[in-house]
């Protein structure tokens, strides 16, 4: 049987593979050709699991939620629970599309509860902080 050589790129690493064409009894090639590849790269080490977040709290009477403007990953909580903040004060840093975005308070108030933890991924419009 004839073999063919191909270069295959996987996750930025190029491998030379040799493929042998195998004919079935009816003369048609089989669906899965056999491949002989160069040594596979070691799997990337797993990132540390983000800290488990406390249960999410909804805004109560006289409180409101500051929501994520886009999906991303919480890098750092800047304000502390119970701290008084003014409109424009930074509450946390949200990384999205390789940029760090400062999430600020939209009104004066007190940080009642963080619904996220550093290292946690969030979806767009997900509640991040409850201000009261």
């Amino acid at each position: 049987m004839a073999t063919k050589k191909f270069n295959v790129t996987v996750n930025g690493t190029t491998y030379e593979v040799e493929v042998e064409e195998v004919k079935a009894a009816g003369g048609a090639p089989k669906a899965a050709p056999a491949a002989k590849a160069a040594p596979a790269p070691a799997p990337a080490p797993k990132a540390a699991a983000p800290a488990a977040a406390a249960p999410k709290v909804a805004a109560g009477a006289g409180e409101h939620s500051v929501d994520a403007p886009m999906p991303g990953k919480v890098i750092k909580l800047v304000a502390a629970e119970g701290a008084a903040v003014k409109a424009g004060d930074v509450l946390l840093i949200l990384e999205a599309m390789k940029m760090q975005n400062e999430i600020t308070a939209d009104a004066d108030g007190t940080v009642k509860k963080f619904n996220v933890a550093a290292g946690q991924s969030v979806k767009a419009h997900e509640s991040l902080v409850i201000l009261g």
Side-chain angles (χ1 to χ4, degrees):
M1 298 278 160
T3 61
K4 294 182 180 181
K5 290 186 178 183
F6 296 94
N7 286 330
V8 178
T9 303
V10 178
N11 292 332
T13 304
T14 302
Y15 300 95
E16 184 178 302
V17 295
E18 194 172 304
V19 179
E20 180 179 341
E21 183 178 8
V22 180
K23 301 257 182 197
K30 289 185 177 180
K36 195 190 288 184
K46 299 240 180 204
K56 299 208 183 282
V57 175
E63 300 175 339
H64 71 279
S65 175
V66 176
D67 298 339
M70 65 196 90
K73 181 178 179 180
V74 176
I75 300 299
K76 179 181 178 184
L77 303 178
V78 177
E81 287 186 15
V85 293
K86 294 187 183 281
D89 286 354
V90 177
L91 300 172
L92 57 92
I93 307 295
L94 179 70
E95 182 180 68
M97 299 187 296
K98 307 241 182 210
M99 293 183 65
Q100 293 188 359
N101 303 281
E102 294 181 339
I103 306 302
T104 59
D106 54 359
D108 294 353
T110 303
V111 177
K112 296 291 184 183
K113 176 80 174 143
F114 276 102
N115 283 330
V116 294
Q120 180 180 344
S121 294
V122 296
K123 297 177 184 172
H125 310 295
E126 185 174 333
S127 175
L128 302 174
V129 182
I130 302 296
L131 293 180

